[in-house]
Amino acid sequence: MNPERPKANDKALQINLDGAKYGTFAEIGAGQETARFFFRAGGASHTVAKTISAYDMAVSDAIYGTSDRYVSRKRLLAMLDREWGLLLERLEKTRGDKSTFFVFANTVATRGYKQSEPGQGWLGVRFQTRPHEAPSQIIIHVRMLDVENTREQEALGTVGVNLIHAAFYQHGGPTKLIASLLDDLGSDRIEVDMIKFSGPRFEGLDNRLMALQLVEQWLTEAAMFTADGEAVIPSEVLYKKAVLVERGSFRPLTNPMLDMLERAREQFVVQDSMKGETPVEIFEMTLRQLQVGDAIDHHDFLDRVDTLGALGRPVLISNFLRYHRLVAYLSRYTQKPVGLPLGVVRLRDVMAEKFYTDMPGGLMESLGQLFKNGAKLYVYPSLDRTGKLTTLENLEVPPNLRHLFQHLVENHFVEGIRNHNTEYLAAYSGEVLKKIQDRDAAWEQLVPAPIALAIKEKHLFGWGDK
C-alpha cells in the first residue's frame, strides 16, 4: 500500500487480512458499491459477515421501519441500529472474544435515467476498537460530482472504503482521518459536507471543529452546525425556507451586529414574496474572517461559536469570499427569498470593481449572480471615529457606478435598514475584545446580554485570564 495516497483496493485488502475486523455491509440506493471492493480485493470471508441491499421501498420499510425520506440521516441511523443489534445477537457469543465488530451502512441517490441532479447520500460506520467495548460511530454526508452514473458509483464505493479504513487505522487523530476520506479520489468528484463523530473513541471531541476541518481541508466549501453544536447538512435547516444570513467575524458579536439582524428581519418579513413566513436566521463566518494573524486559532473559533450559540442561531463556515457565491450556495437548498444584512462599509466592497477582475463579466457578472434569485441586501449605517454617519443615502459611489447603484436601490435590490438604534453605532468589535481581555467592565454594555453571560460563564476571549 502506498502510504502517500493509498488505493481503495489496497485498503479493502488490508482490512480483509486483519482477522479481527468482522461486520455487516448494508447499502441502499446505488447497489453494493462499498462491499464490492472487499469482494474484489480477496479474503472477504475474513471480514464480511453479511451484505444486504434492501432496494425495494417496501422491503426497506419492513426491515428498518417507515421513513418520510429514504435518503436521510434518520434512515441511515435506523440501518446502523438494526444491523448492529443483529450482528451482536448472532455473533457475540461465538466471535465476541476475538472480533472487533463493525456495521457499515449507506443510503444514497445517484444519477439515473430519471434523475439528472448530482448524487448525494449518507454513509456511516459503527465499530469497536476492542472486543466487547461499546461502539463508536462516524457518519458523513456526501455530494457526488461526477457527471456519469458509473463514476458516481465508483466514487461512492471508494469513499465508503476510506471511511471504514479510517475508523480502524487512522490513529493520528480526526484531522488526518478527515483528510483520508478523499484518498484515491479528489474534491472534484466527492464533496463531504457533514461529519459527526460519537462514542468512546471520540470522547471529548468537538464536532464543530470537525465541521471547520471539512472546510479548511477543502472537502467542502461550507459546513453548518446548529446552535447546540449538532452537525447538519444545509437541507436539514434550509429546505423550502426563506433565509436571513449575517456575515461577520463575531469576535465578539456586538449590539449593532444583533440590531442589524433584527432590524433587517423586520423589513425582510413584510416583503410580498415572504407571504407571512418566518425566515431561518444564520450567522456565517468565512475562513478569512476566522484568521487571527496568518492562521486560524481553533480555541478562538470555539469562543466565537460559543457566543453565537447563546443566541440560538445556526452557524455556517464557508470559503465564500464573495456574496454571490454564498447566495448561489443557499439557492441549492431553497428557492425562497434570501436576505443579507450588511454594514454600509461592506456594501462599498461589494460595489468595488477591483475585487472582480478575475471574472469575465467583472462587477456586473457578480451582481447578476447575486440578485438573480431574489436576494436582497439590507444595509446598516456606520459611524466612524470622527463621528461621521454613513448611510445608504449618503454613501459615496464612484462616478462610473452611480447609475448602476441607483438602479439597485430604486428596484429594491438594496435597501437601507430603518429604525436602527443609533446608540449602538459606536461599539466596535476590536475595542470590545480589548475591554474583555483588560477586564474593563464597560464591555458588558456593548454586547447582547446572552453573549455577555456566555463570555463570563465560559471565560471566553480571555475573560478572567488576568
Side-chain angles (χ1 to χ4, degrees), residues 158-171:
T158 301
V159 76
V161 173
N162 288 342
L163 178 61
I164 298 169
H165 186 272
F168 285 128
Y169 301 116
Q170 281 294 339
H171 300 299

Side-chain angles (χ1 to χ4, degrees), residues 346-415:
R346 184 159 289 169
L347 175 64
R348 187 182 291 121
D349 292 337
V350 171
M351 296 292 298
E353 293 179 288
K354 64 182 180 180
F355 294 124
Y356 308 103
T357 56
D358 60 323
M359 300 180 68
L363 172 63
M364 293 296 291
E365 180 180 349
S366 173
L367 294 177
Q369 293 183 28
L370 174 58
F371 296 117
K372 71 175 182 179
N373 293 318
K376 190 169 183 176
L377 304 183
Y378 294 90
V379 183
Y380 196 76
S382 72
L383 187 71
D384 67 17
R385 310 289 179 174
T386 68
K388 179 183 177 182
L389 180 69
T390 302
T391 67
L392 184 65
E393 288 71 28
N394 67 3
L395 176 66
E396 295 182 4
V397 178
N400 63 314
L401 298 179
R402 286 175 186 168
H403 290 295
L404 172 61
F405 180 69
Q406 195 63 33
H407 166 80
L408 297 176
V409 174
E410 290 181 358
N411 287 277
H412 306 291
F413 293 110
V414 180
E415 185 175 305

Side-chain angles (χ1 to χ4, degrees), residues 209-407:
L209 282 175
M210 299 304 100
L212 175 61
Q213 281 297 312
L214 291 178
V215 183
E216 278 196 89
Q217 298 194 46
W218 287 97
L219 276 75
T220 185
E221 290 185 300
M224 182 180 290
F225 48 86
T226 63
D228 59 4
E230 176 72 16
V232 292
I233 60 171
S235 61
E236 292 178 304
V237 176
L238 306 177
Y239 184 62
K240 293 186 176 180
K241 298 286 183 66
V243 185
L244 197 62
V245 55
E246 180 172 328
R247 168 176 287 186
S249 58
F250 307 115
R251 197 172 180 251
L253 182 144
T254 58
N255 284 330
M257 294 177 185
L258 184 58
D259 189 50
M260 177 168 66
L261 180 64
E262 292 177 341
R263 302 291 80 76
R265 184 205 312 132
E266 292 174 352
Q267 295 173 218
F268 186 55
V269 297
V270 297
Q271 63 184 40
D272 293 340
S273 58
M274 285 295 292
K275 300 178 181 178
E277 295 184 33
T278 301
V280 175
E281 297 176 14
I282 298 172
F283 293 120
E284 183 224 7
M285 291 182 281
T286 67
L287 289 188
R288 177 173 292 181
Q289 288 167 323
L290 286 171
Q291 288 183 350
V292 179
D294 296 327
I296 294 175
D297 182 327
H298 290 170
H299 186 276
D300 181 80
F301 165 74
L302 291 177
D303 284 356
R304 300 192 211 189
V305 297
D306 275 341
T307 57
L308 297 179
L311 296 178
R313 275 87 163 182
V315 175
L316 181 70
I317 309 301
S318 84
N319 269 315
F320 305 132
L321 294 181
R322 295 162 176 166
Y323 274 96
H324 73 263
R325 292 189 58 217
L326 170 61
V327 171
Y329 173 81
L330 296 174
S331 298
R332 289 185 197 168
Y333 306 104
T334 182
Q335 301 305 307
K336 295 297 182 71
V338 175
L340 300 161
L342 76 167
V344 68
V345 174
R346 184 159 289 169
L347 175 64
R348 187 182 291 121
D349 292 337
V350 171
M351 296 292 298
E353 293 179 288
K354 64 182 180 180
F355 294 124
Y356 308 103
T357 56
D358 60 323
M359 300 180 68
L363 172 63
M364 293 296 291
E365 180 180 349
S366 173
L367 294 177
Q369 293 183 28
L370 174 58
F371 296 117
K372 71 175 182 179
N373 293 318
K376 190 169 183 176
L377 304 183
Y378 294 90
V379 183
Y380 196 76
S382 72
L383 187 71
D384 67 17
R385 310 289 179 174
T386 68
K388 179 183 177 182
L389 180 69
T390 302
T391 67
L392 184 65
E393 288 71 28
N394 67 3
L395 176 66
E396 295 182 4
V397 178
N400 63 314
L401 298 179
R402 286 175 186 168
H403 290 295
L404 172 61
F405 180 69
Q406 195 63 33
H407 166 80

Side-chain angles (χ1 to χ4, degrees), residues 104-124:
F104 169 81
N106 67 40
T107 176
V108 181
T110 57
R111 292 180 192 268
Y113 69 95
K114 289 185 178 180
Q115 177 177 322
S116 59
E117 294 295 317
Q120 59 89 22
W122 294 85
L123 300 84

Side-chain angles (χ1 to χ4, degrees), residues 20-66:
K21 312 294 187 288
Y22 203 63
T24 294
F25 296 79
E27 303 183 74
I28 294 178
Q32 295 189 304
E33 304 305 327
T34 300
R36 184 177 294 123
F37 273 94
F38 289 84
F39 288 122
R40 285 191 313 212
S45 61
H46 298 290
T47 299
V48 182
K50 181 181 78 172
T51 68
I52 182 172
S53 181
Y55 207 84
D56 184 271
M57 291 182 181
V59 173
S60 179
D61 285 348
I63 298 173
Y64 303 117
T66 58

